[in-house]
């Protein structure tokens, strides 16, 4: 009962919090246009696209931290928020892609195809996006049932290579300051290390018992 009540509070909270970056970007664009502020720098389209890509990656990383936090603090109910965070990550990736194709390239599809084939970091971005698609499609309860929990879990392990590809995509577009992608990479590697350690720890007693 207490868990149900806390979900009723935290689910809308996670929902609203995940929308805050988008709300801020809309406000900043409005303020720059109407009030003449300069939140979005001299190149608002580039700033918008970068911010959306950044938030997509941050949300992917946050979704990866949910299970370790739930296990460390013995709060299994936290896992209930992971799906929503993951779907918001996908939402920001879609906005990132739409901003790039719609605003940056002005819907020039030939240019987009040229970009995919000629600019490696865009190729990596598209591969990452393609890998995210099956995770987004299979995120409904019906799909989890249809695929089966074990297979669904295996499929969703893709989120680790996806996060690494996202960071790789970021590294490849940066020219000078590698601080942020390096921080993201360090966090992902710690989370991946934890996952491997937790899996080994879980399977150890079974092996001992079998012996
Ligand atoms: C769907 C295909 C994708 C395309 C076409 C694409 C395109 C781009 C472009 C053009 C930029 C540079 C923006 C600029 O300098 O104007 C960029 C930056 C970035 N993208 Fe993507 N991207 C894609 C997928 C992704 C995915 C899946 C993620 C996250 C997992 C991601 C995360 C990022 C990040 C973190 C940056 C750098 C942001 C910053 O500088 O702060 N992108 N992307």
């Amino acid at each position: 009962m207490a868990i149900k009540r806390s979900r009723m509070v935290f689910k809308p909270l996670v929902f609203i919090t995940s929308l805050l970056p988008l709300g801020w970007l809309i406000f900043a664009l409005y303020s720059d246009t109407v009030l003449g502020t300069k939140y979005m720098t001299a190149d608002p389209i580039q700033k918008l696209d970068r911010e959306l890509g950044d938030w997509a990656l941050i949300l992917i990383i946050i979704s990866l931290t949910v299970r370790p936090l739930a296990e460390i603090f013995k709060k299994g109910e936290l896992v209930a928020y992971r799906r929503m965070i993951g779907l918001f990550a996908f939402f920001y990736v879609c906005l990132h892609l739409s901003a790039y194709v719609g605003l940056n390239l002005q819907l020039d599809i030939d240019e987009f195809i040229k970009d995919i084939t000629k600019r490696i970091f865009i190729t990596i971005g598209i591969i990452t996006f393609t890998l995210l698609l099956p995770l987004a499609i299979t995120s409904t309860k019906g799909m989890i049932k249809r695929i089966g929990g074990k297979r669904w879990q295996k499929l969703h392990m893709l989120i680790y290579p996806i996060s690494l590809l996202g960071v790789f995509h970021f590294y490849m577009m940066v020219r000078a300051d590698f601080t942020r992608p390096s921080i993201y990479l360090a966090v992902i590697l710690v989370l991946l290390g934890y996952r491997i350690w937790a899996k080994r720890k879980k399977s150890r007693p079974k092996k001992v018992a079998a012996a």
Side-chain angles (χ1 to χ4, degrees):
M1 195 65 189
I3 290 179
K4 235 183 179 178
R5 214 175 302 143
S6 77
R7 262 188 213 170
M8 270 168 66
V9 175
F10 285 111
K11 274 209 166 162
L13 202 67
V14 172
F15 188 91
I16 291 167
T17 311
S18 305
L19 279 174
L20 285 180
L22 180 62
W24 161 251
L25 287 171
I26 293 170
F27 166 77
L29 284 170
Y30 169 81
S31 171
D32 285 5
T33 315
V34 178
L35 307 172
T37 49
K38 277 275 170 274
Y39 292 124
M40 297 299 282
T41 71
D43 190 344
I45 291 178
Q46 187 189 62
K47 171 87 174 155
L48 176 71
D49 200 18
R50 287 189 172 188
E51 289 285 325
L52 291 169
D54 224 10
W55 280 104
L57 194 51
I58 290 170
L59 285 167
I60 286 177
I61 294 172
I62 292 175
S63 78
L64 288 177
T65 63
V66 174
R67 182 184 276 276
L69 288 180
E71 287 176 359
I72 292 166
F73 296 105
K74 304 215 180 321
K75 294 257 175 226
E77 65 270 22
L78 283 180
V79 176
Y81 307 108
R82 198 177 41 179
R83 186 169 57 148
M84 192 190 283
I85 300 170
L87 280 173
F88 266 111
F90 183 67
F91 171 63
Y92 277 92
V93 168
C94 291
L95 290 179
H96 176 58
L97 175 63
S98 309
Y100 178 60
V101 180
L103 302 174
N104 224 317
L105 301 182
Q106 310 253 308
L107 291 176
D108 185 340
I109 302 301
D110 287 342
E111 193 61 34
F112 182 44
I113 291 167
K114 237 190 257 165
D115 264 359
I116 295 173
T117 51
K118 296 231 166 92
R119 298 170 80 187
I120 295 291
F121 91 94
I122 302 276
T123 318
I124 306 277
I126 287 292
I127 293 171
T128 317
F129 177 73
T130 312
L131 288 174
L132 267 171
L133 277 176
L135 304 200
I137 293 166
T138 57
S139 66
T140 61
K141 278 187 186 149
M143 271 299 201
I144 300 172
K145 255 193 192 161
R146 209 180 297 170
I147 299 172
K150 273 247 158 77
R151 247 195 278 161
W152 184 87
Q153 262 181 354
K154 259 193 191 156
L155 175 69
H156 280 249
M157 287 297 276
L158 265 181
I159 198 65
Y160 286 98
I162 286 172
S163 63
L164 289 170
L165 281 171
V167 172
F168 190 37
H169 167 72
F170 194 173
Y171 262 117
M172 294 207 75
M173 64 141 280
V174 177
R175 299 234 155 68
D177 186 0
F178 292 93
T179 314
R180 275 182 31 248
S182 303
I183 292 171
Y184 294 152
L185 180 62
V187 175
I188 294 168
L189 290 179
V190 168
L191 292 167
L192 189 58
Y194 172 85
R195 191 91 179 101
I196 294 169
W197 173 80
K199 215 171 176 198
R200 283 209 181 143
K201 201 175 142 207
K202 246 188 203 168
S203 63
R204 220 175 285 148
K206 274 188 220 152
K207 276 186 196 156
V208 171

